[in-house]
Amino acid sequence: MADLQDDLHTAAEVGRADEPYPQEAVVVGPEEYRPVSDPDDAPLDRARAVLAAHPVCDGYSGLPWTLRGLPWHDLDLGESAVDADLPRLRRGQVGAVFWSLHLPDGHDGGRALTTTLEQLDLAQGVVAAHDAGLRPARTAGEVVDARNCGRVAVLFGPAGAPALGDSLSVLRSLHALGVRVLTLTGTSWAGPAGLSRFGEEVVREMNRLGMVADLSYASAPTIRRALVVSKAPVLFTRSGARDLRPHPANLTDDLLAAVGEAKGLCLVPLTAEQAGPTVRDVADHLDHVRTVAGPECVGLSGTYDTGSAHPQELCDPSCYPRLIAELLRRGWEESDVALLTWGNVQRVLRATAFTAHTAQQRRKPSTATIATLDG
């Protein structure tokens, strides 16, 4: 497979079903890790070498909502109206990305569900229209398959909990349509007071289905209770360290420690508001989260195409090697970088699937309602 920095190949050149995968395309997992470059190489060259084997799994992109406002776009050749077209994803050596289905403020009830489904329909159509560079994925295995075929894997989610309309049937329907992450905020059952009894049932049903709970912007009581109730790892798609920057979505050190104990995953956003105005500020957050929560509990969230301002030198996904080079300058082991960019998200996806397989042997689909559990 051509390196992710190369120009986009045509469908005839990449990933034909009747040809074996090229040897260099095979993803080397962290458990099989071996150094890929000499320690004396320049950090940027070393960064690109590590990313060639362990590309970035970007935990949050607002592209679906951005594309709603564009009458026409071409992600294959490059699109100036967005941050994350395919040429820039390839230059940044991005192997997978989560496309957010979040809603603007004020969307709730039936309107929230309709708008979420519209975004999902648009996102699936965009992936299908760019099948030479993008491929939909629902599992860790499908993410690896997409990477091995030279495509960027697209996972749909997180969606917002208001889209459920307090219905577990809707939750199951969204899962069947391909949504794999749900943010537990903005509802009566996941609010400032924490998870209600119905909220706990939502988490259990997500575990049974194989959906990941996103707790960014959730209240501290909701986070703490979800860490206890969930049998699968939880995710924070846009959370840094509050000790470094007092943003409401950033996590205090005691919460980061709890996330580490539960083997959750905190994806640090590349935004100036949450992480700071420079690449060094972002690296500081990654250092801090890794120290407090552990190297298996930190990842990356580009948060591109959300309207947020980004730190200097990290204006779009093509800049990921600069961030990795900064971490290597600070003494990060290449094996820890491999966990940060690729391995930790893969772990969460695999653990979530394993939890679902186990739960489905013991538990039938829940028929609980918010009226019966919360009154």
Side-chain angles (χ1 to χ4, degrees):
M1 185 195 78
D3 189 271
L4 285 181
Q5 300 173 71
D6 294 345
D7 292 335
L8 183 66
H9 291 280
T10 65
E13 296 175 304
V14 181
R16 288 178 51 185
D18 57 347
E19 294 180 355
Y21 292 152
Q23 182 63 34
E24 62 268 25
V26 178
V27 174
V28 180
E31 67 280 4
E32 303 171 322
Y33 181 77
R34 58 182 182 276
V36 295
S37 59
D38 189 289
D40 294 329
D41 290 346
L44 193 56
D45 290 338
R46 290 179 61 205
R48 292 188 176 115
V50 174
L51 289 174
H54 307 274
V56 172
C57 191
D58 186 328
Y60 194 96
S61 169
L63 190 61
W65 188 263
T66 299
L67 292 179
R68 282 172 61 102
L70 299 181
W72 185 89
H73 59 269
D74 189 337
L75 300 181
D76 282 331
L77 296 180
E79 180 56 63
S80 61
V82 304
D83 295 331
D85 54 28
L86 271 160
R88 281 177 280 188
L89 289 171
R90 289 182 174 275
R91 287 198 299 272
Q93 294 174 273
V94 175
V97 60
F98 287 81
W99 278 6
S100 165
L101 305 175
H102 275 150
L103 308 172
D105 292 339
H107 284 65
D108 53 19
R111 185 184 179 197
L113 177 59
T114 298
T115 308
T116 297
L117 292 175
E118 288 173 350
Q119 282 196 83
L120 179 60
D121 178 65
L122 182 148
Q124 292 173 334
V126 170
V127 173
H130 297 81
D131 61 350
L134 301 174
R135 176 173 288 189
R138 302 187 182 197
T139 66
E142 290 178 358
V143 170
V144 172
D145 287 344
R147 166 70 174 98
N148 288 346
C149 291
R151 272 71 163 183
V152 177
V154 177
L155 299 104
F156 300 117
L164 301 188
D166 303 332
S167 170
L168 295 177
S169 296
V170 174
L171 175 69
R172 288 187 285 271
S173 297
L174 290 174
H175 176 268
L177 291 171
V179 178
R180 287 298 177 267
V181 186
L182 185 76
T183 304
L184 303 185
T185 58
T187 68
S188 62
W189 45 265
L195 290 177
S196 68
R197 290 179 62 199
F198 181 75
E200 293 179 3
E201 189 69 3
V202 171
V203 173
R204 295 188 187 98
E205 188 66 4
M206 291 174 68
N207 285 173
R208 192 191 68 82
L209 291 169
M211 290 184 74
V212 184
D214 171 28
L215 297 172
S216 280
Y217 287 88
S219 66
T222 294
I223 293 171
R224 292 189 183 280
R225 189 57 187 160
L227 290 174
V228 173
V229 174
S230 180
K231 303 303 181 184
V234 300
L235 193 64
F236 294 80
T237 58
R238 296 166 292 162
S239 293
R242 193 173 297 183
D243 188 61
L244 302 184
R245 204 163 184 88
H247 187 277
N250 289 348
L251 301 178
T252 59
D253 280 2
D254 60 328
L255 285 176
L256 283 173
V259 171
E261 291 175 5
K263 295 302 180 184
L265 180 56
C266 178
L267 304 178
V268 174
L270 275 57
T271 66
E273 183 181 12
Q274 283 186 254
T278 71
V279 65
R280 290 181 294 278
D281 292 320
V282 177
D284 287 344
H285 276 259
L286 294 171
D287 277 337
H288 190 88
V289 174
R290 182 180 69 150
T291 299
V292 178
E296 295 184 347
C297 300
V298 59
L300 297 171
S301 178
T303 326
Y304 293 111
D305 289 304
T306 61
S308 300
H310 297 282
Q312 298 170 17
E313 300 184 276
L314 297 175
C315 59
D316 62 55
S318 69
C319 302
Y320 272 118
R322 297 176 184 172
L323 175 59
I324 302 308
E326 174 64 23
L327 298 178
L328 293 171
R329 289 188 191 100
R330 293 176 178 223
W332 279 51
E333 296 291 337
E334 293 180 2
S335 55
D336 281 352
V337 173
L339 289 174
L340 171 79
T341 59
W342 184 262
N344 289 338
V345 172
Q346 286 288 93
R347 173 185 64 81
V348 168
L349 292 176
R350 288 195 173 102
T352 299
F354 179 81
T355 300
H357 178 75
T358 302
Q360 287 166 15
Q361 311 305 312
R362 304 175 179 176
R363 176 182 168 95
K364 295 181 179 180
S366 175
T367 58
T369 67
I370 191 169
T372 57
L373 293 182
D374 291 351

